[in-house]
Amino acid sequence: MIIAVKRGTPEQETRQFAAELEQKGVRVHYSQGASQAVLGLVGDTTSIDEEALRAHHLVEKVIRVQEPYKQANRLFHPEDTCIEVLGPDGTARLVGAGHIGIIAGPCSVESPAQITAAAHAVKDAGAGFLRGGAFKPRTSPYSFQGIGGDGLPLLLEAKRASGLPVVSELMDIHHLDLFREVDVIQIGARNMQNFTLLKELGRCGKPVLLKRGLASTIKELLMAAEYLIAGGNSRIILCERGIRTFENYTRNTLDIAAVPALKKETHLPVVVDPSHAAGISWMVPALAKAAIAAGADGVMVEVHPNPEAALCDGEQSLTPDAFRALMGDLRRLKEL
Amino acid sequence: MIIAVKRGTPEQETRQFAAELEQKGVRVHYSQGASQAVLGLVGDTTSIDEEALRAHHLVEKVIRVQEPYKQANRLFHPEDTCIEVLGPDGTARLVGAGHIGIIAGPCSVESPAQITAAAHAVKDAGAGFLRGGAFKPRTSPYSFQGIGGDGLPLLLEAKRASGLPVVSELMDIHHLDLFREVDVIQIGARNMQNFTLLKELGRCGKPVLLKRGLASTIKELLMAAEYLIAGGNSRIILCERGIRTFENYTRNTLDIAAVPALKKETHLPVVVDPSHAAGISWMVPALAKAAIAAGADGVMVEVHPNPEAALCDGEQSLTPDAFRALMGDLRRLKEL
Amino acid sequence: MIIAVKRGTPEQETRQFAAELEQKGVRVHYSQGASQAVLGLVGDTTSIDEEALRAHHLVEKVIRVQEPYKQANRLFHPEDTCIEVLGPDGTARLVGAGHIGIIAGPCSVESPAQITAAAHAVKDAGAGFLRGGAFKPRTSPYSFQGIGGDGLPLLLEAKRASGLPVVSELMDIHHLDLFREVDVIQIGARNMQNFTLLKELGRCGKPVLLKRGLASTIKELLMAAEYLIAGGNSRIILCERGIRTFENYTRNTLDIAAVPALKKETHLPVVVDPSHAAGISWMVPALAKAAIAAGADGVMVEVHPNPEAALCDGEQSLTPDAFRALMGDLRRLKEL
Amino acid sequence: MIIAVKRGTPEQETRQFAAELEQKGVRVHYSQGASQAVLGLVGDTTSIDEEALRAHHLVEKVIRVQEPYKQANRLFHPEDTCIEVLGPDGTARLVGAGHIGIIAGPCSVESPAQITAAAHAVKDAGAGFLRGGAFKPRTSPYSFQGIGGDGLPLLLEAKRASGLPVVSELMDIHHLDLFREVDVIQIGARNMQNFTLLKELGRCGKPVLLKRGLASTIKELLMAAEYLIAGGNSRIILCERGIRTFENYTRNTLDIAAVPALKKETHLPVVVDPSHAAGISWMVPALAKAAIAAGADGVMVEVHPNPEAALCDGEQSLTPDAFRALMGDLRRLKEL
């Protein structure tokens, strides 16, 4: 951490400030420039509060050299993490460390017939996980909110019928009991910085699919993962799903560069959700292929047996046929 | 609501689609253009799901003419709403409908001495509400997280000592009991679309200060307020606190136009938080004055007896002296 | 084009307004809703000024159904456009309609040795075009500004030596004479809406590589292309090179979805510049592969014989070895 | 300037690199941290190319402490600059250093009657400058492009008739002759980084109103001003006019914080254009008042004798009556 001291500060004051900083457990290098002094803090600065420093009357600028995430940081954990999930059929599904994970299914669980049809369709096409939401975050209180607690038994039935492990979004920590048989817990974009939720999930042994917030930086996504790891849970799959920008052709702007960026910064697996990023189904295959080509460890794609009849997000869902065609393309890409 | 039908759709199919739509309780006007047909939906379209429509195979575009918020909409409630809060000193504080509310205090409650000193300082300068956080959302799990449940008794003591009603942020609905004597519950920017929280607070009679999310549009803020009103609670103060943009001179970009926009769209009072928007204390007075000049019903300002010693956000806190000077300026502005 | 008329407008006034609109050469459908009237304009509305309409005292909202670009629009020109450029070696290089164009070379021409070495290196690796800037747009007046008019002869010498056609950026229309032997004229992101330049280039027969502006929407890029076509020049290659967002891990955010979006909206070929988007060379290969996987008609990549010695943008340049490896990957991708 | 050297670099290599840097005319402080070395460059680093440094194989990070603008920097020129323009009536109009400049008039010059009516109206209301565009940048080639060279004589006639100095936008440096009697040359947002234009205007003695680009940072605006000053012209008025963000309620997002930010960073006067920022006339007064309250040295407002008949941007123009009312409010604000 580097601190530029305000111009005109007497040397003695700067040296005293440096001494105070050293009491926080770091060493301080003093360097006197032409117009101002610069202090270099050496040692573990993870717990030093940048904002508090910035408020100090002698400080002009504070610059971090080391990243504030530690356990998610590839620097301190160079090997790829691989998330392993055992399906009800006894087969292990892997994501990360060279294993591509394909998560597919409808935005929300609507009926036994719908979710079971979806499960079989995505399994036949080669998906490794079934997704399906029971609880749905919706912008309007008047929109369909998911079928709630009633949806999970249907999802679990589809799990047993298809043999696929399931991914579902948790919005309220008090529903955790309902999620006992859910294999991967999804944290949605709007909850990426719901720290209350993150702290609780840190104490739970289940894998977490953590979606990047619409206005969250790559580093904030890593800090959210750090909350989970700091709590004891490092079974995390990161998910890029588009950020909010001025461009409104697509619902959000898929930040494809987040894939190589995250792969460099962290050992955790990274998947991409092209369906929510684009918001329009005809664009999903192009983005899914781009994701795998950029090095993603998987994709999460919305597939609905009958998108037009979908109660939610039908506009962005693939038909089973379109998904099957996409899987063929992804398989060939993976072989490269 | 207007639907542009895909080019080349046979008229008969379009007419059948129109008939299906009429079964949802709206009337449909059919208009045949040179290259495509356009359907106009008339009646209450609030509950019609735009996204489901967009997924229909005949639909090219869906355009809403009416806004999807209803109870927050000034169209259906032309008079300004005024939020009245009774202080422990028996004085009512008002925000909205011509009354300017000034909320001030430290980012977080740190100690009895700190919060009580802050309370007296802001009251003496003319503030109407004391703010102070016990639970703090922090990007890093290693940063100071607020003193939690221990902070509320200190805040309430400062409330009694100063006579000011208090505002504090709620992050977990299960803390609601602890907030019994808190006068205004703050929902932070990161929780603006925590719909679980919004639904619960809709059932609680307390005024809510609802902060705009960093990546939320003005309309989404109004939809979040609609969640509260739909749940039964219309005692809402909206708060503009900056949005995330490419500009990084300030922490966020204060969207000053949100003030006149919200005043036009809704009857709810609108305040501005210049401290979180700027992230740098020297800029706070300029932004606070701009807010009042633009028509805001108040401001929420961070004031700390000793910003340099603050455990959180000291960089953006005013000293009591600077706050007193600002209050003088705001009073003169208000007189205009 | 659809016009929502303000609530409470007497029917007679609306009908008179509709009659005025019909005098502009369109037909107007009148539709009376529950609370307001809606007018549908049918016919060629390309030249109707939306903004003028919005200022009319009876108008609440104006919505375009048809896109305002016409000649660039795939709707009116369904077949892919292929740009053909004849190299000095007599070989035609193609971009679009299934042909992948690879443009590579240094950010700026620095010396005869540098540009000739770069030309041979990129040709050997399989590139179809050599890029090299003589005039450089730089944020700071104190940064290296390119070697200007002296650079073009060096670029042309490299063209002859390597047999590759060349691409170079034009910043001032009065340099057009100097560009006589330049094969493709590049319009940089900052000049995408330099309409003076676009109008002049519309009159010039040379192919234009048109880069998307940092804050330009996909539709604005198409409108900029429309300026060129309206002027008589439809030999255009569109180039996605990242947009400005809040994320600062990369220099800009590559909008990978712009590739399928542009391929759908227009018949013009689309290439991607991963070097300027990322701003960091290690990320370039991942983004280039994503671009081709998403359906781009080519990429433009910075390659420098010795990136560390580059006078400009060395940070984002590949070495010849890294470029050769990338070309191998792209070739395999293309075969899919 | 501070350079973090890559981890694991042998000390000897780092010291040699430091020695090379010293040959560029700066002194280098070497500081060895726990895991990496940090170099501090002392002296005038304005001309050191950050990007070239970043490409160096030993460099992990480069951080500037000093800003790269010098002559626009308040640090080296603490007193406010005041721009003085002599009107044809012999009265000097001042902007900056405590003088509020009000620039008003139509978006574009349409006819002798229109521009003269506008000139008298804004003068009577108290404006100090008349604005009017002859050349208009328009997104679509099919939109009204301004009346071009024919417009300037009409503007100059209105100048003589009203006694007000005039402001008009220059888009092509080869029109400079036509602008001989134009008092202030406006550089539009899309041309803020048209460096060809900036360099030429640096050689011209006329005051320049430099508008911030839609995707330009505050620092880039200052660098654009630095181009003008480096060329010899320091008669510059900076203009904040909104940036592009995800919010689409307004045309752009007025960055009100740019006002105090620019006033701190530079000695140049700063005005605000609320008309282009909002894009909707009813919002202009609120934003204009916010601008003055935030410390702006003036505003530039669109006023049209008959906004509904405007050929361009009528939607955002005030009527003369609305402008007169606004001027009364601004006068009272200024007295504070």
Side-chain angles (χ1 to χ4, degrees):
Chain A
M1 190 177 276
I2 289 157
I3 299 173
V5 175
K6 279 194 186 145
R7 278 148 234 269
T9 306
E11 183 173 338
Q12 201 193 340
E13 274 188 59
T14 308
R15 295 221 176 259
Q16 191 177 330
F17 175 43
E20 286 163 24
L21 288 169
E22 294 211 319
Q23 285 165 10
K24 300 193 178 183
V26 292
R27 261 174 320 120
V28 180
H29 281 257
Y30 179 97
S31 155
Q32 182 62 48
S35 58
Q36 67 190 127
V38 169
L39 305 178
L41 273 57
V42 178
D44 180 4
T45 59
T46 314
S47 63
I48 286 199
D49 198 323
E50 262 178 84
E51 286 168 4
L53 270 184
R54 286 209 173 88
H56 195 283
H57 71 283
L58 295 184
V59 171
E60 188 186 300
K61 245 187 194 178
V62 179
I63 301 144
R64 251 190 204 285
V65 177
Q66 254 183 317
E67 297 309 336
Y69 43 92
K70 222 174 181 172
Q71 302 188 70
N73 200 327
R74 190 181 277 279
L75 215 60
F76 304 116
H77 184 312
E79 315 75 35
D80 280 346
T81 287
C82 176
I83 304 299
E84 183 177 338
V85 181
L86 199 69
D89 57 1
T91 313
R93 268 76 181 196
L94 305 172
V95 189
H99 301 278
I100 302 287
I102 308 288
I103 307 165
C107 178
S108 53
V109 177
E110 295 167 10
S111 70
Q114 173 250 15
I115 188 68
T116 307
H120 286 298
V122 305
K123 189 184 185 187
D124 290 352
F129 297 82
L130 172 67
R131 59 154 290 162
F135 300 93
K136 304 299 308 169
R138 300 303 301 273
T139 304
S140 164
Y142 310 122
S143 296
F144 172 63
Q145 306 274 322
I147 59 173
D150 294 342
L152 290 172
L154 307 186
L155 182 66
L156 297 174
E157 201 180 300
K159 167 181 172 175
R160 282 183 292 269
S162 65
L164 291 179
V166 293
V167 181
S168 197
E169 178 167 355
L170 179 80
M171 289 173 66
D172 185 338
I173 196 65
H174 302 87
H175 293 157
L176 199 52
D177 258 13
L178 298 170
F179 280 68
R180 228 167 329 134
E181 293 175 61
V182 170
D183 303 281
V184 179
I185 291 182
Q186 176 179 321
I187 296 301
R190 291 182 184 85
N191 277 323
M192 191 201 90
Q193 292 194 320
N194 182 334
F195 301 119
T196 307
L197 204 54
L198 296 177
K199 284 178 189 172
E200 296 284 346
L201 286 177
R203 281 193 279 274
C204 130
K206 275 189 198 301
V208 173
L209 181 104
L210 180 64
K211 296 189 110 180
R212 179 180 181 186
L214 274 95
S216 298
T217 62
I218 288 168
K219 298 204 170 164
E220 285 168 346
L221 172 58
L222 289 168
M223 292 309 293
E226 192 82 11
Y227 260 93
L228 292 167
I229 310 183
N233 186 354
S234 56
R235 300 181 70 197
I236 303 167
I237 302 168
L238 300 173
C239 181
E240 160 62 32
R241 45 80 72 222
I243 57 174
R244 202 159 240 188
T245 71
F246 65 83
E247 177 58 68
N248 56 14
Y249 190 95
T250 42
R251 184 186 293 180
N252 294 119
T253 297
L254 181 68
D255 181 7
I256 190 75
V259 174
L262 287 167
K263 295 299 294 175
K264 180 166 198 277
E265 296 293 327
T266 185
H267 49 90
L268 298 171
V270 177
V271 302
V272 166
D273 174 349
S275 306
H276 282 85
I280 27 182
S281 59
W282 62 261
M283 199 185 264
V284 168
L287 299 186
K289 288 185 274 182
I292 299 300
D297 298 302
V299 290
M300 172 147 98
V301 176
E302 288 200 5
V303 179
H304 193 284
N306 181 8
E308 290 186 30
L311 295 176
C312 160
D313 282 349
E315 194 190 5
Q316 71 198 31
S317 295
L318 294 187
T319 60
D321 281 351
F323 178 63
R324 197 170 308 115
L326 172 59
M327 284 300 291
D329 287 349
L330 296 185
R331 222 170 282 125
R332 279 186 291 278
L333 262 176
K334 196 177 136 183
E335 278 157 20
L336 298 183
Chain B
M1 190 177 276
I2 287 157
I3 300 172
V5 175
K6 279 192 187 147
R7 280 149 232 267
T9 306
E11 184 174 336
Q12 203 194 337
E13 273 190 59
T14 308
R15 294 223 177 257
Q16 193 178 326
F17 176 41
E20 285 163 25
L21 288 169
E22 293 211 321
Q23 284 165 12
K24 299 192 178 180
V26 292
R27 261 171 321 121
V28 181
H29 281 258
Y30 179 96
S31 153
Q32 181 63 48
S35 59
Q36 68 189 128
V38 169
L39 304 178
L41 273 58
V42 178
D44 181 4
T45 59
T46 313
S47 63
I48 286 196
D49 198 321
E50 261 179 85
E51 286 169 5
L53 270 184
R54 286 208 174 89
H56 195 282
H57 70 284
L58 295 184
V59 171
E60 189 186 301
K61 244 189 194 177
V62 179
I63 301 143
R64 254 190 202 284
V65 177
Q66 255 183 316
E67 297 308 337
Y69 42 91
K70 222 173 179 173
Q71 301 187 69
N73 200 326
R74 189 181 278 279
L75 214 60
F76 304 115
H77 184 313
E79 313 74 36
D80 279 348
T81 287
C82 176
I83 305 299
E84 183 176 337
V85 181
L86 199 69
D89 56 1
T91 313
R93 267 77 182 194
L94 307 172
V95 188
H99 301 277
I100 302 286
I102 308 290
I103 307 166
C107 177
S108 53
V109 177
E110 295 167 9
S111 69
Q114 172 250 18
I115 187 68
T116 307
H120 286 298
V122 304
K123 187 181 185 189
D124 290 353
F129 297 82
L130 172 66
R131 60 153 290 160
F135 299 93
K136 303 299 309 169
R138 300 303 301 272
T139 302
S140 165
Y142 310 122
S143 296
F144 171 62
Q145 307 274 323
I147 59 172
D150 293 344
L152 289 172
L154 307 186
L155 182 66
L156 296 175
E157 201 181 299
K159 167 182 170 174
R160 283 183 292 269
S162 66
L164 290 180
V166 294
V167 181
S168 197
E169 179 168 354
L170 179 80
M171 289 174 66
D172 184 339
I173 196 65
H174 301 88
H175 293 157
L176 199 52
D177 258 14
L178 298 171
F179 280 68
R180 229 167 328 136
E181 293 175 62
V182 170
D183 301 282
V184 179
I185 291 182
Q186 177 179 322
I187 297 301
R190 291 181 184 85
N191 277 322
M192 190 202 90
Q193 292 194 319
N194 182 335
F195 301 119
T196 307
L197 204 53
L198 295 178
K199 284 178 189 173
E200 296 284 347
L201 286 178
R203 281 194 278 274
C204 131
K206 274 188 197 303
V208 173
L209 182 103
L210 180 64
K211 295 188 111 179
R212 179 179 181 185
L214 274 95
S216 299
T217 61
I218 288 169
K219 297 203 171 167
E220 286 169 346
L221 172 57
L222 288 169
M223 292 308 294
E226 192 82 11
Y227 260 93
L228 293 166
I229 309 184
N233 187 353
S234 56
R235 300 182 69 196
I236 304 166
I237 301 168
L238 301 172
C239 180
E240 160 63 32
R241 47 77 75 222
I243 58 174
R244 202 159 239 188
T245 72
F246 65 84
E247 177 58 68
N248 55 15
Y249 190 95
T250 42
R251 182 188 293 180
N252 294 117
T253 297
L254 182 67
D255 181 7
I256 190 76
V259 174
L262 287 167
K263 295 300 294 175
K264 179 167 197 278
E265 296 293 328
T266 186
H267 50 90
L268 299 170
V270 178
V271 303
V272 166
D273 175 347
S275 306
H276 282 84
I280 27 182
S281 59
W282 63 260
M283 200 185 266
V284 168
L287 299 186
K289 287 185 273 181
I292 299 300
D297 298 302
V299 290
M300 172 145 101
V301 176
E302 287 199 4
V303 178
H304 193 285
N306 180 10
E308 290 186 31
L311 295 177
C312 160
D313 283 347
E315 193 189 3
Q316 69 199 33
S317 297
L318 294 187
T319 60
D321 282 351
F323 178 64
R324 199 170 307 117
L326 171 61
M327 284 300 291
D329 287 348
L330 295 185
R331 222 171 282 124
R332 279 186 292 277
L333 262 176
K334 197 177 134 185
E335 278 157 20
L336 297 184
Chain C
M1 190 177 276
I2 288 157
I3 299 172
V5 175
K6 280 193 186 145
R7 278 151 233 269
T9 306
E11 184 175 336
Q12 201 194 340
E13 272 189 60
T14 308
R15 295 224 177 256
Q16 192 178 326
F17 175 42
E20 284 163 24
L21 288 169
E22 293 211 321
Q23 285 165 11
K24 299 193 178 182
V26 291
R27 262 173 320 122
V28 180
H29 281 258
Y30 179 96
S31 154
Q32 181 61 49
S35 59
Q36 68 189 127
V38 169
L39 305 178
L41 274 58
V42 178
D44 181 5
T45 58
T46 313
S47 64
I48 286 198
D49 198 323
E50 262 179 84
E51 286 169 4
L53 270 185
R54 285 210 174 87
H56 196 283
H57 70 284
L58 296 185
V59 172
E60 187 186 301
K61 244 189 195 179
V62 178
I63 301 144
R64 251 189 204 285
V65 178
Q66 254 183 315
E67 296 309 336
Y69 43 92
K70 222 175 181 172
Q71 302 187 69
N73 200 326
R74 191 182 276 278
L75 213 61
F76 305 115
H77 184 314
E79 313 75 37
D80 279 348
T81 287
C82 175
I83 305 299
E84 184 177 337
V85 180
L86 199 68
D89 56 1
T91 312
R93 267 76 180 196
L94 306 172
V95 189
H99 302 277
I100 301 286
I102 308 288
I103 307 165
C107 177
S108 54
V109 177
E110 294 168 10
S111 71
Q114 173 251 15
I115 187 68
T116 306
H120 286 299
V122 305
K123 189 184 184 186
D124 290 351
F129 298 81
L130 173 66
R131 59 152 292 161
F135 300 94
K136 303 298 310 168
R138 300 303 302 273
T139 302
S140 165
Y142 309 121
S143 296
F144 172 62
Q145 307 274 321
I147 61 174
D150 294 344
L152 289 172
L154 308 185
L155 182 66
L156 296 174
E157 201 179 301
K159 167 182 170 174
R160 282 183 292 269
S162 65
L164 290 179
V166 293
V167 182
S168 197
E169 178 167 355
L170 180 80
M171 288 173 65
D172 185 337
I173 196 64
H174 301 89
H175 293 156
L176 199 52
D177 258 14
L178 299 171
F179 280 68
R180 228 167 328 135
E181 294 176 62
V182 170
D183 302 282
V184 179
I185 292 181
Q186 176 178 322
I187 297 300
R190 291 182 184 84
N191 277 323
M192 190 201 90
Q193 292 194 319
N194 182 335
F195 301 118
T196 306
L197 204 53
L198 295 178
K199 284 177 189 173
E200 295 285 347
L201 286 177
R203 281 193 279 275
C204 132
K206 275 188 198 303
V208 174
L209 182 103
L210 181 64
K211 295 188 111 180
R212 180 179 180 186
L214 275 95
S216 299
T217 62
I218 288 169
K219 298 205 170 164
E220 286 168 346
L221 172 57
L222 289 169
M223 292 308 295
E226 191 82 11
Y227 260 93
L228 292 167
I229 309 183
N233 187 353
S234 56
R235 301 182 71 197
I236 303 166
I237 301 168
L238 301 172
C239 181
E240 160 63 32
R241 45 79 73 221
I243 57 173
R244 202 159 241 188
T245 71
F246 66 84
E247 177 58 69
N248 57 14
Y249 190 95
T250 43
R251 183 186 294 178
N252 294 118
T253 297
L254 182 67
D255 181 8
I256 191 75
V259 175
L262 287 167
K263 295 301 292 176
K264 180 167 197 278
E265 296 293 329
T266 185
H267 48 91
L268 299 170
V270 178
V271 302
V272 166
D273 175 347
S275 306
H276 282 85
I280 28 182
S281 60
W282 62 262
M283 199 185 266
V284 168
L287 298 185
K289 287 185 275 182
I292 298 300
D297 299 302
V299 291
M300 173 145 100
V301 175
E302 287 199 4
V303 178
H304 193 284
N306 181 8
E308 290 187 30
L311 295 176
C312 159
D313 283 348
E315 194 191 2
Q316 71 198 34
S317 296
L318 294 187
T319 61
D321 282 350
F323 178 65
R324 198 170 308 116
L326 171 61
M327 283 300 291
D329 287 348
L330 295 185
R331 223 171 282 124
R332 278 185 293 278
L333 261 176
K334 198 176 133 183
E335 280 158 20
L336 298 184
Chain D
M1 190 177 278
I2 289 158
I3 299 173
V5 175
K6 281 194 185 143
R7 278 149 234 269
T9 306
E11 183 173 337
Q12 201 193 340
E13 273 190 58
T14 308
R15 295 222 177 259
Q16 192 177 328
F17 175 42
E20 286 164 23
L21 288 169
E22 294 211 320
Q23 284 165 12
K24 300 193 179 182
V26 292
R27 262 172 320 121
V28 179
H29 281 259
Y30 179 97
S31 154
Q32 182 63 47
S35 58
Q36 68 189 127
V38 169
L39 305 178
L41 274 56
V42 179
D44 180 6
T45 60
T46 313
S47 64
I48 287 198
D49 199 321
E50 260 178 85
E51 286 168 4
L53 270 185
R54 287 209 173 89
H56 196 281
H57 70 284
L58 296 184
V59 171
E60 187 186 303
K61 243 188 195 178
V62 179
I63 300 144
R64 253 191 203 284
V65 177
Q66 254 183 317
E67 297 308 336
Y69 42 91
K70 220 174 181 172
Q71 302 187 69
N73 200 326
R74 191 181 276 281
L75 213 60
F76 304 115
H77 185 313
E79 313 75 36
D80 280 346
T81 287
C82 177
I83 304 299
E84 181 176 340
V85 181
L86 199 68
D89 57 1
T91 313
R93 266 79 181 194
L94 306 173
V95 189
H99 302 276
I100 302 287
I102 308 288
I103 307 165
C107 177
S108 54
V109 176
E110 295 168 8
S111 70
Q114 173 249 16
I115 188 68
T116 307
H120 286 299
V122 304
K123 188 180 185 189
D124 290 352
F129 297 81
L130 173 66
R131 60 154 288 162
F135 300 93
K136 303 300 308 170
R138 300 303 300 272
T139 302
S140 165
Y142 310 122
S143 296
F144 172 62
Q145 306 274 322
I147 60 174
D150 294 344
L152 289 172
L154 307 187
L155 182 65
L156 297 174
E157 202 181 299
K159 167 182 170 173
R160 284 183 290 270
S162 66
L164 291 179
V166 293
V167 181
S168 197
E169 179 167 354
L170 179 80
M171 288 174 66
D172 185 339
I173 195 65
H174 302 88
H175 292 158
L176 199 51
D177 259 13
L178 298 171
F179 280 68
R180 229 168 327 136
E181 294 176 62
V182 170
D183 303 280
V184 179
I185 291 182
Q186 178 180 322
I187 296 301
R190 291 181 186 84
N191 277 323
M192 190 201 90
Q193 292 193 319
N194 182 335
F195 301 119
T196 308
L197 203 54
L198 294 178
K199 284 177 187 172
E200 295 285 346
L201 286 178
R203 282 193 278 274
C204 132
K206 275 187 197 304
V208 173
L209 182 103
L210 180 64
K211 294 188 111 179
R212 181 180 180 185
L214 273 95
S216 299
T217 62
I218 288 169
K219 297 204 170 165
E220 286 169 346
L221 172 58
L222 289 169
M223 291 309 293
E226 191 82 12
Y227 260 93
L228 292 167
I229 309 184
N233 186 354
S234 56
R235 300 181 69 198
I236 303 166
I237 302 168
L238 301 172
C239 180
E240 160 63 32
R241 47 79 72 221
I243 57 174
R244 203 160 238 188
T245 71
F246 66 83
E247 177 58 68
N248 56 14
Y249 190 96
T250 43
R251 183 187 292 179
N252 296 118
T253 297
L254 181 68
D255 181 7
I256 191 75
V259 174
L262 287 167
K263 296 299 296 175
K264 179 165 198 279
E265 296 292 329
T266 186
H267 49 91
L268 298 170
V270 178
V271 302
V272 166
D273 175 348
S275 306
H276 282 85
I280 26 180
S281 59
W282 63 260
M283 200 185 265
V284 168
L287 299 186
K289 287 184 274 182
I292 298 301
D297 298 302
V299 289
M300 172 146 99
V301 176
E302 287 200 6
V303 178
H304 193 285
N306 181 9
E308 291 187 29
L311 295 176
C312 160
D313 283 348
E315 193 190 4
Q316 71 198 32
S317 296
L318 294 187
T319 60
D321 281 352
F323 178 64
R324 197 169 310 117
L326 171 60
M327 284 300 291
D329 287 349
L330 296 185
R331 223 170 282 124
R332 279 185 293 277
L333 261 176
K334 198 177 134 183
E335 278 158 20
L336 299 183

